[in-house]
Amino acid sequence: AAIPEAIEPKDDHAAAEARARTQGQQPERTATSPRPVRPPEPSPLPRPPAAQRAAPTNAAPTAPPVPSAPLRVLLAEDGVDNQRLILYHLKRCNCDAMLVENGRDAVAAVEERRARGERFDVIILDMQMPHMDGYEAARRLRTGGCDSLIVALTADAMQGDRERCLAAGCDRYLPKPVDARELAVLLAEAAAKRAIR
């Protein structure tokens, strides 16, 4: 009688894989075969220090440089709130500021300092002040030989007001409320003018 061939159990996957390895074949994947282990992914490169990172292209523009030596500024303004605000900005911009409340006192302060051989780098004149307004003060200062940078400070927004300020002898025009950056630009201009004297 013929001897029946031995039948390999279907569930003996380990034996089937071993026989396939000895015959140079890849073992068949079955539902119970172990999954191959994937090699670990390389770790991301470390980020450069903050100082070496490129600055974003949409960064806000930098403020004008602060003068190294304090600028001597005369502020003629009669409004208390405006006095506090402008003096605050002047202090942040490294200015040595003197405050008067009208144009008459502004002219007297300039003449007194000139008698001592000194001068103001910047004179900020409110155009609407009691006793003597900024227009008259600017005219008297220019007539007396003052060559400081005179800035007209006014809340008026009427057409032609800027030209009127310049015609009175002012060099620049600064509307209220005062913008800190515009004021800093004027102070930087005065510092550059002082440096070439």
Side-chain angles (χ1 to χ4, degrees), residues 24 29 38 45 65 75 105 111 133 144 164 172-173 179 184 188 192:
R29 295 259 321 141
R38 299 178 64 182
L45 296 175
L75 171 62
D105 292 345
E111 292 175 351
D133 62 19
R164 184 184 174 196
R172 298 291 182 269
Y173 175 85
D179 182 82

Side-chain angles (χ1 to χ4, degrees), residues 25-77:
Q25 300 175 358
Q26 290 290 338
E28 293 185 2
R29 295 259 321 141
T30 63
T32 59
S33 299
R35 296 182 180 179
V37 179
R38 299 178 64 182
E41 296 183 358
S43 59
L45 296 175
R47 298 183 66 187
Q52 298 178 5
R53 295 177 197 162
T57 55
N58 59 349
T62 56
V66 176
S68 56
L71 283 174
R72 295 158 296 187
V73 179
L74 174 64
L75 171 62
E77 165 65 56

Side-chain angles (χ1 to χ4, degrees), residues 134-168:
Y135 300 101
E136 181 62 23
R139 282 190 287 266
R140 293 198 182 190
L141 290 173
R142 291 309 188 200
T143 302
C146 177
D147 62 349
S148 302
L149 181 71
I150 299 181
V151 180
L153 185 65
T154 177
D156 295 336
M158 298 173 57
Q159 180 140 13
D161 186 67
R162 177 189 177 93
E163 289 71 21
R164 184 184 174 196
C165 293
L166 298 178

